[in-house]
Amino acid sequence: MSKRHMTAALAVLPALAALPAQAAAPPAKPAPPAQAGPAQAGPGGTAYTPGTPGIGDSYFPGSGNGGYDVAHYDIGLSYTPESRNVTGTTTIAATATQNLARFNLDFLGPKIGSVRVDGAAARYERRGQELVVTPRAGIAKGARFKVAVAYAGRPKQLRDPGLGPTGWITTRDGAATLSQPVGSAAWFPLNDHPSDKATFAFEITVPEGLKVLANGEPGGVSRNAAGTTFRWRSAKPMAGYLAMIAIGRYETFDGRSAGGVRTYSAVDSELASSAERLHEMTAKVTDWGGKVFGRFPFDSSGGIIDIVPVGYALETQNRPMYPGAADTSLIVHELAHQWFGDSVSVARWQDIWLNEGFATYAEWLWAEQHGGRKAESRFAEAYARPASFAGWKVKTGEPGRNGLFETFPIYTRGAMTLHALRTAVGDDRFFTILRTWAAEHEHGNATTADFRRLAERVSGRDLDPLFDRWLFTAAKPAQR
């Protein structure tokens, strides 16, 4: 994500539920809280208990759910721009990680018509952002099951206190979804935490004349009396907040970069003059990232420029979403996230600098390697801020819920941390660390502690003082 285009004024929108700031750090991988509700007897006297309503991330205690692991989402939607309503069914394939009496999904979306588990009607109840599902019989640990939720109505546009509008966002000619950190629950039910990644398939029907883009690769288009149906499929696992659909009138480009990566891009028809440049720069930056960070981690790259009333771009997997325009540094930032944030995802939101600091440093590297300012110059300019500067008072590695998207502590100081590491270990080891990080955690989750261990392994040095100084000190770090 980049907030460099943040607008001064944003509409007053409904607040996200259950999003208090908390300072305490969760464990390295979120651990579900204690079981909620009494055990129930199952076949042979086996105890079946409810899955927890949160995954254990203290920054978002109500997000994510315990008791199961999602493998795949099938999202089927029909959208009518005139009414702004959707009719849809999301089918979730999951595996129980305990003997489940009931389980929760995160869902703030439209009115529910039915919930079925393995084809049988299930009881359900909405409790704030929680959709509590009770199947007819308990689900045994290790068993695979499917839950299908049918719903209809107008999806919600939410508001994150650090970003502004998130979730389902209506545009002039359609809609777009921008869901960091927990906006996806506004438009489909899910286990809404990046530690539970899954594959996705989309089948979206819209009126004739509109196009639909989503994550992954296109899977065909069909037309019938209901309109035009577009299919997309992401075979690589994805965090729920990165799920994206964009509906509108677009100019589209489908080709391959010089390095052979499929590149599928789209630009709002009113901004068609930007289309060719977006497509060309996306291909160029994708190939550059492959050389610097290692093989591009997905089957296609791309980007979307749409007229979306937000003040930020978002690294939606495969093809980032840009609001109105995309200059080179913004394209570099969001495509760097394909490695750092999308493929290697945080296991807990506290470590968001692993996303934003890395993407910001990618901007510095691109400039340095293409005739622009050296990374050292940018580091020195940022470091020149006085010790009294408020941005130094936020811990980059432990920013608190309200500090997740603070520009200087997370983006700039995160990039400075990487430059301090580069200076300490030298270029050869530094770039080996970046490539190894992307390769060893590809399509998985990781923490700051994991990065520290990797950096020490590759460099052969004790780097605790460096990381403590740059990530966990609420003061201007001393240079050593």
Side-chain angles (χ1 to χ4, degrees):
M1 173 182 290
S2 176
K3 290 170 40 178
R4 290 185 295 110
H5 299 289
M6 181 65 74
T7 53
L10 293 169
V12 177
L13 300 166
L16 288 172
L19 302 180
Q22 296 188 27
K29 186 174 178 66
Q35 293 292 347
Q40 299 174 13
T46 302
Y48 284 72
T49 55
T52 56
I55 211 165
D57 191 321
S58 66
Y59 282 28
F60 294 91
S63 295
N65 305 279
Y68 62 93
D69 180 71
V70 178
H72 181 75
Y73 294 91
D74 271 302
I75 300 175
L77 292 177
S78 294
Y79 179 59
T80 306
E82 290 78 9
S83 66
R84 300 184 178 180
N85 287 338
V86 301
T87 301
T89 299
T90 294
T91 302
I92 302 167
T95 300
T97 58
Q98 66 182 65
N99 291 326
L100 273 177
R102 67 172 186 259
F103 58 90
N104 288 21
L105 299 169
D106 299 298
F107 190 48
L108 289 165
K111 183 178 180 180
I112 295 171
S114 67
V115 176
R116 306 185 75 84
V117 176
D118 288 334
R123 299 199 312 274
Y124 64 90
E125 177 185 359
R126 304 189 80 158
R127 301 175 185 170
Q129 75 180 57
E130 302 293 330
L131 171 57
V132 183
V133 179
T134 304
R136 290 187 177 181
I139 302 171
K141 180 179 180 179
R144 298 177 180 177
F145 66 97
K146 288 186 176 182
V147 53
V149 182
Y151 49 98
R154 184 176 295 187
K156 291 183 179 180
Q157 179 173 283
L158 307 176
R159 180 181 176 84
D160 180 84
L163 293 174
T166 67
W168 183 277
I169 300 172
T170 301
T171 62
R172 173 189 52 80
D173 56 359
T177 64
L178 295 165
S179 300
Q180 192 176 25
V182 290
S184 286
W187 59 281
F188 73 99
L190 75 160
N191 194 19
D192 199 6
H193 193 273
S195 62
D196 192 3
K197 301 170 76 168
T199 58
F200 279 73
F202 304 85
E203 187 171 296
I204 313 298
T205 300
V206 294
E208 188 70 27
L210 298 181
K211 294 180 179 179
V212 178
L213 284 89
N215 311 97
E217 288 62 60
V221 179
S222 60
R223 292 174 173 81
N224 53 45
T228 307
T229 300
F230 293 80
R231 297 173 181 84
W232 292 80
R233 187 174 186 88
S234 176
K236 299 294 193 296
M238 179 166 65
Y241 77 91
L242 297 170
M244 176 274 297
I245 57 174
I247 301 169
R249 301 183 187 278
Y250 300 116
E251 296 290 331
T252 58
F253 286 80
D254 187 2
R256 291 193 177 271
S257 71
V261 178
R262 185 177 187 178
T263 306
Y264 198 111
S265 301
V267 174
D268 187 285
S269 58
E270 290 191 10
L271 305 171
S273 60
S274 304
E276 189 169 350
R277 181 184 179 280
L278 171 68
H279 189 64
E280 291 176 353
M281 282 305 304
T282 294
K284 185 176 181 179
V285 173
T286 298
D287 286 349
W288 170 79
K291 294 175 183 176
V292 177
F293 308 130
R295 179 181 59 84
F296 186 71
F298 303 110
D299 295 327
S300 67
S301 182
I304 302 170
I305 297 178
D306 203 351
I307 303 174
V308 186
V310 299
Y312 59 89
L314 184 62
E315 62 271 17
T316 43
Q317 192 158 300
N318 296 96
R319 46 197 53 83
M321 176 75 73
Y322 306 101
D327 61 21
T328 298
S329 61
L330 187 59
I331 293 171
V332 170
H333 184 103
E334 301 306 338
L335 286 179
H337 275 309
Q338 303 306 303
W339 286 266
F340 309 115
D342 293 12
S343 176
V344 184
S345 300
V346 294
R348 57 185 189 179
W349 280 108
Q350 172 185 327
D351 294 322
I352 194 170
W353 84 275
L354 292 171
N355 297 3
E356 302 302 346
F358 281 54
T360 301
Y361 198 65
E363 295 183 60
W364 295 12
L365 291 174
W366 171 274
E368 181 175 85
Q369 296 177 19
H370 291 82
R373 292 176 63 189
K374 300 293 186 183
E376 177 62 32
S377 172
R378 295 200 182 199
F379 176 93
E381 179 182 64
Y383 192 78
R385 296 173 188 248
S388 60
F389 174 58
W392 295 120
K393 308 303 182 184
V394 178
K395 297 178 183 179
T396 299
E398 195 176 31
R401 166 65 184 95
N402 289 342
L404 280 179
F405 302 109
E406 289 292 330
T407 300
F408 185 85
I410 303 303
Y411 295 71
T412 304
R413 188 168 168 177
M416 294 174 76
T417 301
L418 292 174
H419 191 75
L421 174 64
R422 179 184 176 185
T423 301
V425 305
D427 277 13
D428 287 347
R429 288 191 176 96
F430 175 74
F431 286 104
T432 297
I433 290 168
L434 290 189
R435 288 189 290 270
T436 305
W437 178 250
E440 289 190 356
H441 296 282
E442 186 176 57
H443 306 309
N445 300 85
T447 66
T448 295
D450 294 326
F451 186 70
R452 291 170 71 148
R453 284 190 290 269
L454 171 65
E456 291 185 337
R457 170 161 57 89
V458 173
S459 68
R461 295 185 50 180
D462 176 10
L463 296 170
D464 280 352
L466 182 150
F467 285 114
D468 288 343
R469 196 163 64 246
W470 280 96
L471 297 178
F472 298 104
T473 301
K476 183 176 180 176
Q479 292 214 66
R480 298 176 186 174

